[in-house]
Amino acid sequence: MRTVIVGAGLAGPLLAQGLVRAGFEVALYEREAAIDERSQGYRIHLDPEGVDALRDCLPPDLYDEVVATSGIPGSGVTILSPRLEVVQRIAAPVDGDEGPQHLSVDRVTLRRILLTGIKTGHATFDHYELLADGTVRVHFAGGGSAEADLLVGADGTHSRVRAQLLPDAEVVETGQFLIFGKTPLTPEARSLTPAASLDGFSVVAGADGRFMPLAGHRPRTGEPGYLMWVVGSRQPASAVDGSALRDTAARLVGDWHPDLAALVGLAHPATVHATTVRTAKPVPPWTTGPVTLIGDAVHTMVPAGIGAAVALRDAALLCAQVTSPASDLLDAVHAYEASMLEYGFAAVARSLRAGG
């Protein structure tokens, strides 16, 4: 079976790893020329379904590398007031004898591992064409094409594959705006960081809709690590320059505990970016064909610590279905889509509740 995957974020490369491991022919295409072309890469949380997906698809040595480069696990999740008083503390689950149930990973590091040994083409998807023999021809911007038995759109929230496959699918704005950044965990930054943010995940919650997640990423490798921070509000961030965005984020929390603005001010401008918060509206089942979707390309969700794991689950489930020797390809894809739409949009609903 020939598979073309469009999008080399996290789910696309994991699917490629699983298919290649099963002996399938895979072509992975990404519009960015280099995996580190942008500096956007922060600490992300993977719950058991994400960890299991990695274990199922990756060769053992790469899975071990993911665990070895992951962050030192924290002891829980903490809600803090704007004055950094503890409002609520939720203990993290304890790992069992079979390995970690949850992982804290750096997105850039994880992506590099997932792409190990996978040939990636630099091309921007333009459109696909269904052929008479039941296969699909993928066309790229500027010329060039590839033929496959299955095309998988793993190209994120603004998926061009979804736009053609499901033109009525909606991704809507929630009215929230986020500024992300990373502050290196220097001695100065450590002295300013709330203890709860170094020992797990924390959120500073204001009464006016502003919020500020904080999470330290301390690699098991002994590197200094960094503090990931996010400033969320209803106020649009008009600036695009990293320095100006950093100043905007510091201003937004300027009336909170002074350590928070100070931590923002220590971030390198190249790591600071802004985005709007979007969520996908549920889509009904569609007629299965040789084109399908995984991850944010189908079920974009509000950042709530579950999106990455759900996307990886998509990749592992699709891989398991299409590599099953007892399955016809379209039957396998249909079984994947039926299950994915159910758990994927249940996760979208959970993320909306958490985000609210």
Side-chain angles (χ1 to χ4, degrees):
M1 185 186 78
R2 302 164 301 167
T3 303
V4 166
I5 303 171
V6 174
L10 297 180
L14 184 65
L15 175 61
Q17 288 283 356
L19 293 177
V20 168
R21 195 177 175 200
F24 286 66
E25 181 182 340
V26 179
L28 176 65
Y29 292 92
E30 168 59 44
R31 65 179 181 177
E32 293 181 354
I35 65 170
D36 55 357
E37 182 172 307
R38 295 180 297 164
S39 64
Q40 296 182 38
Y42 306 90
R43 173 195 185 274
I44 56 176
H45 168 258
L46 298 180
D47 63 16
E49 65 182 354
V51 177
D52 288 345
L54 293 172
R55 188 183 294 112
D56 290 345
C57 291
L58 289 177
D61 60 325
L62 292 186
Y63 174 76
D64 290 344
E65 187 177 353
V66 172
V67 175
T69 58
S70 65
I72 298 171
S75 65
V77 176
T78 307
I79 309 300
L80 300 169
S81 75
R83 303 310 303 171
L84 299 185
E85 301 151 332
V86 175
V87 176
Q88 185 180 8
R89 177 75 175 169
I90 305 167
V94 179
D95 289 336
D97 295 334
E98 298 182 356
Q101 299 179 29
H102 294 255
L103 284 175
S104 163
V105 297
D106 175 72
R107 187 182 185 278
V108 172
T109 302
L110 176 61
R111 191 178 180 218
R112 287 184 183 277
I113 295 170
L114 293 180
L115 286 169
T116 300
I118 300 298
K119 293 182 179 179
T120 305
H122 176 216
T124 299
F125 171 85
D126 188 76
H127 69 282
Y128 65 81
E129 173 189 1
L130 299 178
L131 304 180
D133 63 357
T135 61
V136 59
R137 180 177 293 131
V138 184
H139 295 270
F140 301 103
S145 64
E147 294 188 9
D149 300 293
L150 179 65
L151 165 63
V152 181
D155 48 341
T157 298
H158 302 290
S159 172
R160 295 187 178 189
V161 180
R162 182 192 67 237
Q164 182 175 352
L165 177 65
L166 304 173
D168 295 327
E170 292 185 78
V171 175
V172 298
E173 302 283 354
T174 66
Q176 291 179 325
F177 301 86
L178 305 178
I179 301 176
F180 291 82
K182 291 196 294 188
T183 296
L185 281 175
T186 61
E188 180 184 6
R190 282 179 174 273
S191 70
L192 295 168
T193 303
S197 304
L198 292 174
D199 185 28
F201 185 86
S202 65
V203 181
V204 181
D208 56 0
R210 286 179 294 164
F211 56 96
M212 186 178 185
L214 297 160
H217 180 69
R218 298 173 295 151
R220 298 174 195 256
T221 55
E223 299 169 56
Y226 60 84
L227 178 76
M228 179 201 76
W229 53 263
V230 184
V231 174
S233 72
R234 296 281 175 179
Q235 179 177 320
S238 57
V240 294
D241 172 75
S243 295
L245 284 172
R246 183 181 60 185
D247 293 344
T248 298
R251 178 178 55 78
L252 284 169
V253 297
D255 58 336
W256 289 0
H257 195 288
D259 287 355
L260 296 172
L263 282 167
V264 170
L266 292 174
H268 191 285
T271 71
V272 182
H273 303 275
T275 187
T276 59
V277 179
R278 307 174 184 90
T279 188
K281 290 189 174 182
V283 296
W286 59 87
T287 301
T288 297
V291 182
T292 194
L293 305 166
I294 61 176
D296 284 348
V298 58
H299 46 59
T300 291
M301 62 189 75
V302 170
I306 60 176
V310 176
L312 296 178
R313 177 181 178 180
D314 290 353
L317 176 59
L318 180 57
C319 180
Q321 292 288 353
V322 301
T323 59
S324 171
S327 296
D328 170 81
L329 176 59
L330 291 187
D331 289 343
V333 174
H334 177 76
Y336 155 74
E337 290 171 346
S339 181
M340 176 273 294
L341 287 174
E342 182 175 352
Y343 70 71
F345 281 99
V348 170
R350 290 201 311 275
S351 73
L352 277 172
R353 291 193 296 271

